[in-house]
Amino acid sequence: MVSGNLITNISANLPGSTHDSHIFNTSNLFHYLETNNRGLADGLILGDSGYACRPFLMTPNLNHRESHQQRFNKAHSSTRSIIERAFGILKRRFHVLHSEVRMKPEKVCRVFGASVVLHSIALTRNEPFEDVCGVQQDQPVQVPNFEGEQDGRHIREHIARVFFN
């Protein structure tokens, strides 16, 4: 999970060829959110269309016929680009991650995990890094409570109607 450029949760125990959605679906974070998520007040995770839309995981609308759904998709995409930039910053800080790591998969997982921990420490200590993109983070937004059916598609539609209509 990424908050700004700070990576707050990783699952680095499967090889790089494993699909992202499988890694997430078998992660401790997924199981925690499945059992403990209380709705929009807890926040959301963004995923691409390779993930299933869930109450805590918003994906793009695949059939975006209405204008608020199109605007939701545009905002979703631009927000996800911040996440991708955070991983780019991590890779620039630790060049070993920038290309194929020629080690045993178990060792690659440990190298990646250690790199994320060191990156997070550097960010919290404001260590200088001249290649940072300098993206300004918006303040958290209060989302009106949603009383409808608590599945991903209905929550996504609620967000699209409230913020993008």
Side-chain angles (χ1 to χ4, degrees):
M1 212 162 76
V2 177
S3 176
N5 291 321
L6 186 65
I7 298 169
T8 59
N9 190 295
I10 63 165
S11 181
N13 53 0
L14 294 168
S17 61
T18 308
H19 194 277
D20 293 348
S21 64
H22 175 73
I23 294 170
F24 178 64
N25 290 340
T26 58
S27 72
N28 291 335
L29 178 61
F30 175 85
H31 294 293
Y32 175 82
L33 293 172
E34 275 281 296
T35 57
N36 298 301
N37 184 270
R38 296 170 293 153
L40 291 174
D42 284 346
L44 298 167
I45 296 175
L46 299 182
D48 61 26
S49 58
Y51 293 85
C53 187
R54 299 187 174 272
F56 51 84
L57 173 65
M58 291 295 103
T59 60
N61 281 293
L62 296 180
N63 300 314
H64 51 278
R65 300 180 207 287
E66 299 186 40
S67 60
H68 67 277
Q69 294 170 332
Q70 293 170 359
R71 288 191 294 275
F72 172 89
N73 280 3
K74 185 174 181 179
H76 184 280
S77 175
S78 64
T79 304
R80 279 199 67 249
S81 70
I82 294 170
I83 298 164
E84 297 301 327
R85 281 193 294 272
F87 285 114
I89 292 167
L90 171 69
K91 288 179 179 181
R92 288 192 302 275
R93 188 183 292 269
F94 296 98
H95 294 277
V96 69
L97 303 176
H98 201 29
S99 61
E100 181 181 346
V101 182
R102 295 175 185 231
M103 297 176 196
K104 292 182 180 178
E106 306 81 41
K107 194 167 194 173
V108 172
C109 292
R110 288 196 305 272
V111 167
F112 181 73
S115 298
V116 169
V117 169
L118 291 170
H119 176 67
S120 296
I121 291 169
L123 288 173
T124 57
R125 294 184 59 158
N126 294 317
E127 293 292 329
F129 183 58
E130 66 277 355
D131 204 12
V132 176
C133 297
V135 176
Q136 183 177 358
Q137 300 299 313
D138 294 330
Q139 293 299 315
V141 175
Q142 291 295 324
V143 179
N145 196 23
F146 177 60
E147 300 297 332
E149 190 172 337
Q150 295 294 310
D151 69 11
R153 289 189 314 275
H154 286 95
I155 292 172
R156 180 179 60 204
E157 182 64 19
H158 169 70
I159 293 169
R161 285 190 186 280
V162 168
F163 291 103
F164 302 102
N165 227 351

